[in-house]
Amino acid sequence: MSSSVSELKERHAAAIETVNSLRERLKQKRQQLLDVDVAGYSRSQGRAPVSFGPTDLVCCRTLQGHAGKVYSLDWTSERNRIVSASQDGRLIVWNALTSQKTHAIKLPCAWVMTCAFSPTGQSVACGGLDSVCSIFNLNSPTDKDGNLPVSRMLSGHKGYVSCCQYVPDEDTHLITSSGDQTCVLWDITTGLRTSVFGGEFQSGHTADVLSVSISGSNSRMFVSGSCDSTARLWDTRVASRAVRTFHGHEGDVNTVKFFPDGNRFGTGSDDGTCRLFDIRTGHQLQVYYQQHGENEIPHVTSIAFSISGRLLFAGYSNGDCYVWDTLLAKVVLNLGSLQNSHEGRITCLGLSADGSALCTGSWDTNLKDILIQELITVMKLKVCQYISVDAQFDSLQNNAGVIQSKLARFGLLEGTGGCSESLGSERLVNLLLNLRFWLTSFCCFLLP
């Protein structure tokens, strides 16, 4: 018996050595095929880096109300609302324009890790250490204690729910990732699992799955990131195997996000890097890494792309929030170094649907001067918007009437309430700034 056990151990060790050798050979072959990365090609074409002035990206609002670490956030598709999940055991739905809270939902399990808005904005989903994804209908009446009841509980995972995301344009289906090494596509109307991705299948993840991102251009495709240091591409029509596995990271893949064109996706990892992959070739196109000296390398906790894809926003465990130029792989701004920035780990971030605002959530807690504010522990959600310099702002205010008539002539005020009444200088300035952002994003060079 002992001889057979020792023989099996030797065969197992030999198999592991063979696998590692083949993996290294595969890595070398891939490197030979990649003659240049995105940054190298962009430099050869004479591309100039994106530049920001000191007032181009500033924190314009702080959403205060959570009494614990913020773990997750999501925007509605119409841009004006945010849902956030915190260690205080609550979901808060915010009006992002006024900073007011529209809902404060007490959760059945305080250890929440993820939250998401439905495409219509009528429901929110969340999950965490209870291994359940809970759905709340925001239009439901509250109970006698003033709490919003759970409208549907999606049970089936054997580990914590790390991430959830609704299928675009559907309030009836969502995808979750879990510590049980699987992802699940759910039918919310029945509460049943439609498909399970991974688990017993050989092409599935071999460790906790931490993040999912569904393609905006093809909702049948989604990508997952895992503690096995890989990202995997899945087709919801073929749950038995991953379409492709992406290697390169040397630590947990904490976050994944599709590139705007749907042909690429970004990742962020404990190894301190963000990476850009092409789903068609399986190649790694670029590594985004900032040298941090001899100190411990901060983990990348969350990422988001701008509408054009020219910018990559990345949150880090040390409180930094880098804005990367995706073409030249250069950090063009560190939001964490600006005034009134976070003082703790960045845990989540998200871009509004129109691309005009970035919201970040953090572990940071602030003790306020007792003469100024009630002595409580407060979480901050930083909302950063593209704004102009003071001189431009004053000029826009002074010429609001003239600008409004010109916008109306070209039909640019459609959907803003019409021109029968004055928009007001403040509202008009916000409209113009959003228009400015759209125009600059549209003109940005897109990756080929």
Side-chain angles (χ1 to χ4, degrees):
M1 177 67 72
S2 60
S3 60
S4 62
V5 171
S6 60
E7 183 181 349
L8 286 172
K9 287 183 178 179
E10 291 177 1
R11 291 172 59 187
H12 181 257
I16 291 177
E17 185 176 348
T18 301
V19 168
N20 290 336
S21 175
L22 291 173
R23 182 178 289 131
E24 185 60 31
R25 288 173 58 187
L26 180 62
K27 181 179 178 180
Q28 292 174 0
K29 287 291 185 181
R30 286 183 180 276
Q31 287 300 117
Q32 291 174 6
L33 292 172
L34 285 172
D35 55 348
V36 68
D37 58 17
V38 172
Y41 177 77
S42 299
R43 286 193 295 269
S44 70
Q45 298 298 305
R47 293 285 174 183
V50 174
S51 61
F52 285 107
T55 57
D56 283 337
L57 268 175
V58 298
C59 177
C60 62
R61 291 184 187 86
T62 299
L63 307 182
Q64 300 179 341
H66 280 302
K69 299 173 181 177
V70 174
Y71 280 108
S72 180
L73 65 87
D74 192 27
W75 289 82
T76 51
S77 56
E78 73 270 17
R79 177 194 178 276
N80 64 341
R81 285 186 296 160
I82 299 168
V83 62
S84 58
S86 168
Q87 195 182 40
D88 62 12
R90 292 186 182 276
L91 294 181
I92 293 182
V93 179
W94 311 82
N95 183 321
L97 303 180
T98 65
S99 303
Q100 293 179 331
K101 307 173 190 67
T102 61
H103 295 81
I105 304 170
K106 185 177 181 180
L107 301 176
C109 173
W111 296 100
V112 62
M113 300 177 68
T114 180
C115 63
F117 255 119
S118 67
T120 63
Q122 302 301 306
S123 301
V124 291
C126 68
L129 296 186
D130 59 355
S131 305
V132 173
C133 183
S134 301
I135 311 294
F136 295 88
N137 187 333
L138 298 179
N139 297 321
S140 297
T142 57
D143 60 21
K144 61 180 180 180
D145 297 321
N147 296 320
L148 194 67
V150 177
S151 60
R152 178 71 71 182
M153 298 186 72
L154 307 178
S155 303
H157 277 299
K158 298 178 181 177
Y160 60 89
V161 176
S162 56
C163 185
C164 63
Q165 185 179 354
Y166 279 86
V167 175
D169 302 322
E170 292 186 36
D171 271 26
T172 56
H173 291 85
L174 62 76
I175 295 176
T176 56
S177 61
S178 171
D180 63 11
Q181 305 180 11
T182 70
C183 301
V184 172
L185 173 64
W186 300 88
D187 185 331
I188 298 174
T189 56
T190 63
L192 300 177
R193 293 179 291 182
T194 300
S195 301
V196 179
F197 307 87
E200 69 273 17
F201 302 117
Q202 292 184 348
S203 64
H205 285 292
T206 58
D208 300 16
V209 187
L210 301 178
S211 179
V212 294
S213 177
I214 304 173
S215 172
S217 59
N218 181 0
S219 60
R220 295 189 300 268
M221 309 298 292
F222 74 94
V223 65
S224 58
S226 167
C227 291
D228 63 10
S229 303
T230 70
R232 297 178 195 243
L233 178 68
W234 303 89
D235 188 325
T236 56
R237 299 166 297 182
V238 188
S240 60
R241 60 183 176 83
V243 176
R244 197 182 292 276
T245 300
F246 301 84
H247 298 276
H249 281 295
E250 299 176 358
D252 298 354
V253 179
N254 298 316
T255 177
V256 291
K257 184 68 68 174
F258 261 100
F259 196 76
D261 68 359
N263 292 323
R264 306 162 186 85
F265 69 91
T267 57
S269 169
D270 277 357
D271 63 14
T273 69
C274 299
R275 296 169 191 252
L276 185 65
F277 294 93
D278 191 299
I279 68 172
R280 298 162 297 183
T281 64
H283 285 164
Q284 177 180 286
L285 302 178
Q286 187 63 56
V287 179
Y288 303 95
Y289 176 69
Q290 182 80 347
Q291 193 69 36
H292 289 84
E294 299 179 358
N295 296 329
E296 183 178 350
I297 297 174
H299 303 164
V300 183
T301 60
S302 49
I303 61 172
F305 289 102
S306 64
I307 293 278
S308 69
R310 183 65 190 268
L311 301 178
L312 169 64
F313 302 94
Y316 294 79
S317 57
N318 64 350
D320 285 337
C321 186
Y322 289 160
V323 183
W324 289 91
D325 183 328
T326 55
L327 286 185
L328 297 173
K330 291 182 177 294
V331 175
V332 293
L333 187 65
N334 179 10
L335 298 178
S337 66
L338 301 182
Q339 186 178 7
N340 197 30
S341 61
H342 284 300
E343 297 176 0
R345 178 189 183 98
I346 304 292
T347 54
C348 51
L349 56 79
L351 206 70
S352 62
D354 64 0
S356 66
L358 175 77
C359 186
T360 62
S362 171
W363 278 11
D364 62 0
T365 58
N366 296 296
L367 293 177
K368 301 295 184 177
D369 190 302
I370 199 170
L371 297 175
I372 299 175
Q373 187 172 338
E374 182 182 359
L375 189 60
I376 57 174
T377 302
V378 182
M379 288 313 307
K380 287 188 176 182
L381 291 172
K382 308 291 187 178
V383 182
C384 302
Q385 285 188 303
Y386 283 79
I387 67 169
S388 186
V389 295
D390 292 342
Q392 292 172 311
F393 188 87
D394 292 338
S395 176
L396 290 173
Q397 285 184 312
N398 294 335
N399 297 281
V402 176
I403 296 170
Q404 182 171 332
S405 63
K406 291 184 178 180
L407 288 174
R409 186 190 312 168
F410 292 100
L412 295 177
L413 294 181
E414 293 181 5
T416 64
C419 300
S420 58
E421 59 180 3
S422 175
L423 288 175
S425 59
E426 182 178 355
R427 186 179 172 195
L428 180 61
V429 167
N430 288 333
L431 174 67
L432 289 169
L433 294 176
N434 285 339
L435 179 62
R436 168 198 171 196
F437 176 80
W438 273 99
L439 291 173
T440 54
S441 295
F442 180 77
C443 295
C444 279
F445 175 83
L446 291 176
L447 292 174

